[in-house]
């Protein structure tokens, strides 16, 4: 059977689809059924070289265009993405298994937001004038050159745009490598950018596993690397980039705390816990997977949560009513099942879920553990699946120490009606992205990223510009220059 998901070719280089059958074959699998929906090839060294050469050449002319011209193309691409949101969302659902109910509002739309936001900003990028008496200095905001983007599999379209939009707005070119688990959507992003008027070679996509990513990161033609992935991969990529003194952005994993005080609005807190643990079947980096619930509302919280989980619609991801889809792959399903077994073995109380669903594809029930303690594996390691760990606490000082007792620092959330406490807790969180009475919002206008082991740099907002450009200082003397001899 031929699926509509089969791309014209595996890679997109210099404005066109490119194939090289010599690359290792990769099957693209629809997670809801386990069926192969496309076949592509990993990039060979020749393909990698072709993409980097194209990006190097194209970047020079792209950087010479005005910000207004560059921005216009990005904004046009945003418009096309919005017009095709339905088709792009269906493709994202094929690629990731995430329900259409989610992909239609959180993937191409979020990518379009980034293209529109950074497209609008491109014309405003400027240096500074610094007066020094009669002399002066001016700064020029210059692009870095060729940027490599490497993506995880949970938000393929969004990641391709969150990295591409600020890079291109600043006058860089990009070679993007999606995760081999979800290789389809980034090709569509490249196609749309070219249709919007992007010069050939400015945005390229090559496929492959970690070895292709590693080859890109270590290549001397590359000036910057932006990775979305796990902490162990981040360490490797950062070290390799450091050897070439390359700029980096690291968007890595987390084990984020969500703290729910007795005085919180119970339904809002349950909504936050659901959004922060079960959206995208729990495969979200910033998820608040350590849910600290103050003892006074613990049982009420668990009862309401269980009742609300019973309303999850688990089924065909293409059905707009479905609100909970499969895991992305067989491998990820096994990893998560391993953690569920560990939770039971280490003495956590399984409140609901924990089982694989008897159907084709990679399905796990939404799972909640209560009576979890800080030292349990499920409270310390990133699971990246639909598994919530509920921990009890007595008071604020105690919960803050425990919430921060982790190597990660991606996100953190607090639910309370006490305004002063909410801000005090947010100030005390050791995390890059904090939420008060909400969870997992990621609008393009606000910086997103982690502290501690969870990352370096920020995506979205004006802050991203700092990570895709560098300043040149030009010193100007108006009078004669004195020298000692
Ligand atoms: P991985 O770290 O396994 O992979 C991330 C990407 O890096 C993939 O494209 C992978 O290729 C590639 N890669 C692997 N090894 C290397 C290497 N040595 N050099 C260069 N590239 C390499 O993460 P997952 O794809 O499993 O995604 C899940 C992780 O991503 C979680 O930890 C999650 O928290 C994190 N994440 C972070 C986000 C954030 O913004 N902070 C957002 C989303 C996810 P391949 O997989 O094809 O082998």
């Amino acid at each position: 059977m031929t699926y509509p998901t089969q791309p014209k070719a595996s890679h997109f280089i210099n404005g066109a689809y490119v194939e090289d059958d010599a690359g290792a074959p990769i099957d693209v699998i629809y997670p809801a059924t386990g069926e192969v929906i496309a076949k592509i090839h990993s990039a060979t060294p020749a393909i990698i070289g072709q993409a980097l050469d194209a990006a190097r050449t194209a970047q020079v002319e792209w950087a010479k265009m005005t910000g207004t011209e560059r921005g216009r193309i990005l904004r046009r691409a945003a418009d096309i993405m919005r017009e095709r949101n339905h088709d792009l969302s269906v493709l994202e659902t094929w690629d990731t298994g995430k329900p259409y109910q989610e992909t239609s509002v959180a993937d191409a739309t979020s990518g379009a937001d980034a293209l529109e936001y950074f497209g609008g900003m491109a014309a405003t990028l400027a240096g500074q004038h610094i007066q020094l008496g009669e002399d002066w200095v001016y700064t020029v905001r210059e692009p870095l050159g060729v940027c490599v983007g490497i993506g995880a599999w949970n938000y393929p379209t969004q990641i391709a745009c969150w990295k591409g939009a600020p890079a291109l707005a600043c006058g860089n070119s990009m070679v993007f490598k999606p995760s081999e688990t979800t290789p389809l959507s980034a090709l569509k992003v490249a196609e749309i950018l070219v249709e919007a008027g992007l010069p050939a070679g400015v945005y390229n996509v090559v496929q492959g596993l970690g070895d292709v990513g590693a080859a890109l990161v270590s290549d001397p033609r590359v000036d910057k690397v932006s990775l979305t992935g796990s902490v162990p991969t981040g360490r490797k990529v950062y070290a390799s980039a450091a050897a070439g003194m390359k700029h980096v952005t690291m968007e890595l994993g987390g084990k984020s705390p969500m703290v729910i005080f007795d005085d919180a609005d119970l339904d809002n807190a349950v909504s936050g816990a659901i959004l922060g643990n079960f959206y995208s079947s729990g495969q979200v980096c910033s998820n608040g997977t350590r849910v600290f619930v103050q003892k006074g509302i613990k049982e009420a919280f668990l009862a309401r949560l269980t009742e609300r989980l019973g309303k999850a619609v688990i089924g065909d991801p293409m059905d707009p009513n479905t609100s909970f889809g499969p895991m992305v792959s067989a491998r990820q399903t096994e990893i998560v099942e391993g953690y569920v077994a560990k939770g039971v073995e280490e003495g956590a109380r399984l409140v609901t879920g924990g089982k694989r669903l008897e159907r084709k594809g990679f399905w796990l029930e939404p799972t909640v553990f209560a009576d979890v303690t800080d030292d349990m594996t499920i409270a310390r390691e990133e699971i990246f699946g639909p598994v919530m760990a509920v921990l009890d606490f007595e008071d604020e000082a105690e919960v803050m120490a425990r919430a921060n007792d982790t190597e990660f620092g991606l996100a953190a959330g607090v639910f309370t009606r006490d305004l002063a406490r909410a801000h005090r807790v947010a100030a005390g969180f050791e995390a890059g992205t904090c939420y008060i009475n909400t969870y997992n919002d990621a609008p393009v206008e606000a910086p997103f990223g982690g502290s501690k082991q969870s990352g370096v740099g920020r995506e979205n907002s004006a802050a991203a510009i700092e990570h895709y450009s560098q300043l040149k200082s030009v010193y100007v003397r108006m009078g004669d220059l004195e020298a000692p001899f």
Side-chain angles (χ1 to χ4, degrees):
M1 171 173 183
T2 316
Y3 288 91
T5 38
Q6 177 62 41
K8 289 182 194 141
S10 301
H11 319 286
F12 194 94
I13 299 173
N14 215 12
Y17 277 97
V18 178
E19 192 55 270
D20 182 352
D21 293 344
I26 297 171
D27 284 346
V28 187
I29 291 167
Y30 182 39
T33 61
E35 288 165 285
V36 176
I37 54 162
K39 286 176 181 285
I40 56 163
H41 293 272
S42 181
T44 55
I47 286 286
I48 294 170
Q50 220 176 304
L52 289 173
D53 284 343
R56 243 244 85 94
T57 306
Q59 191 268 327
V60 178
E61 294 306 314
W62 176 242
K64 284 184 192 158
M65 288 168 66
T66 66
T68 306
E69 290 167 329
R70 287 200 300 270
R72 193 177 299 135
I73 293 168
L74 298 184
R75 285 186 292 106
R76 214 180 279 144
D79 290 343
I80 300 174
M81 282 191 82
R82 286 212 181 87
E83 279 160 23
R84 298 196 194 143
N85 184 44
H86 171 73
D87 290 352
L88 293 169
S89 304
V90 168
L91 184 70
E92 189 84 329
T93 292
W94 281 107
D95 216 2
T96 61
K98 295 191 293 181
Y100 177 84
Q101 192 185 90
E102 289 186 20
T103 55
S104 57
V105 296
D107 291 277
T109 52
S110 162
D113 283 354
L115 290 164
E116 183 170 16
Y117 179 86
F118 288 106
M121 194 174 269
T124 71
L125 302 178
Q128 215 188 351
H129 171 98
I130 303 156
Q131 194 70 37
L132 296 168
E134 290 184 345
D135 300 332
W136 41 283
V137 176
Y138 64 91
T139 62
V140 185
R141 188 169 286 284
E142 295 187 332
L144 302 174
V146 174
C147 301
V148 159
I150 301 178
W153 39 256
N154 57 346
Y155 282 85
T157 307
Q158 184 187 83
I159 294 171
C161 294
W162 280 21
K163 297 190 188 308
L168 270 44
C170 292
N172 303 285
S173 59
M174 176 158 275
V175 176
F176 186 78
K177 188 203 85 67
S179 164
E180 105 276 1
T181 310
T182 53
L184 303 178
S185 331
L187 292 168
K188 286 288 169 200
V189 172
E191 222 183 285
I192 287 171
L193 281 164
V194 167
E195 192 180 331
L198 191 76
V202 176
Y203 189 91
N204 310 277
V205 176
V206 299
Q207 308 290 355
L209 279 75
D211 59 329
V212 172
L216 288 168
V217 174
S218 60
D219 195 285
R221 284 166 285 192
V222 172
D223 303 288
K224 191 221 155 98
V225 178
S226 177
L227 169 80
T228 296
S230 62
V231 172
T233 302
R235 286 200 187 97
K236 282 189 241 166
V237 171
Y238 202 170
S240 169
M245 209 55 81
K246 292 167 188 167
H247 298 252
V248 295
T249 300
M250 295 280 144
E251 290 291 351
L252 309 177
K255 189 75 198 174
S256 302
M258 183 182 296
V259 179
I260 300 170
F261 285 95
D262 278 346
D263 69 341
D265 179 290
L266 187 62
D267 268 312
N268 283 343
V270 169
S271 293
I274 288 173
L275 286 170
N277 282 272
F278 301 118
Y279 204 70
S280 300
S281 295
Q283 303 165 116
V284 180
C285 53
S286 48
N287 271 355
T289 47
R290 287 184 295 142
V291 181
F292 291 94
V293 182
Q294 204 163 14
K295 280 198 169 147
I297 55 160
K298 177 185 159 187
E299 290 311 326
F301 173 84
L302 288 173
R304 190 70 61 92
L305 177 67
T306 312
E307 182 195 326
R308 298 261 305 264
L309 287 179
K311 294 181 182 158
V313 181
I314 305 176
D316 176 7
M318 294 295 176
D319 180 340
N321 294 317
T322 296
S323 56
F324 186 86
M327 300 298 297
V328 77
S329 63
R331 182 168 167 265
Q332 191 61 22
T333 312
E334 282 156 22
I335 290 172
V336 177
E337 280 184 305
Y339 278 110
V340 171
K342 262 252 164 358
V344 172
E345 189 187 309
E346 293 181 7
R349 170 161 63 100
L350 185 61
V351 176
T352 181
K355 290 193 297 298
R356 199 184 262 253
L357 295 176
E358 289 305 321
R359 57 177 79 178
K360 282 191 297 177
F362 318 124
W363 298 82
L364 283 179
E365 292 175 332
T367 301
V368 177
F369 281 105
D371 305 336
V372 177
T373 54
D374 296 349
D375 55 337
M376 289 181 185
T377 309
I378 57 168
R380 304 221 65 84
E381 296 181 11
E382 184 182 46
I383 298 175
F384 226 60
V387 182
M388 183 195 296
V390 177
L391 305 93
D392 313 343
F393 75 95
E394 301 270 359
D395 65 50
E396 185 180 322
E398 170 215 333
V399 78
M400 289 311 288
R402 291 170 60 200
N404 287 331
D405 182 21
T406 167
E407 59 168 355
F408 299 109
L410 186 54
V414 55
F415 282 83
T416 176
R417 285 196 178 97
D418 179 338
L419 201 60
R421 175 159 65 192
H423 292 288
R424 193 167 60 234
V425 166
F429 278 143
E430 295 170 2
T433 307
C434 295
Y435 304 101
I436 296 176
N437 293 332
T438 182
Y439 207 84
N440 266 351
D441 312 67
V444 68
E445 296 88 345
F448 180 85
S451 52
K452 294 162 86 175
Q453 299 285 306
S454 291
V456 174
R458 291 293 176 267
E459 295 196 305
N460 288 341
S461 82
I465 298 299
E466 299 300 327
H467 302 289
Y468 284 101
S469 61
Q470 57 193 340
L471 291 175
K472 174 186 277 174
S473 298
V474 181
Y475 297 79
V476 182
R477 185 172 292 271
M478 300 301 286
D480 291 334
L481 187 60
E482 284 177 25
F485 52 84

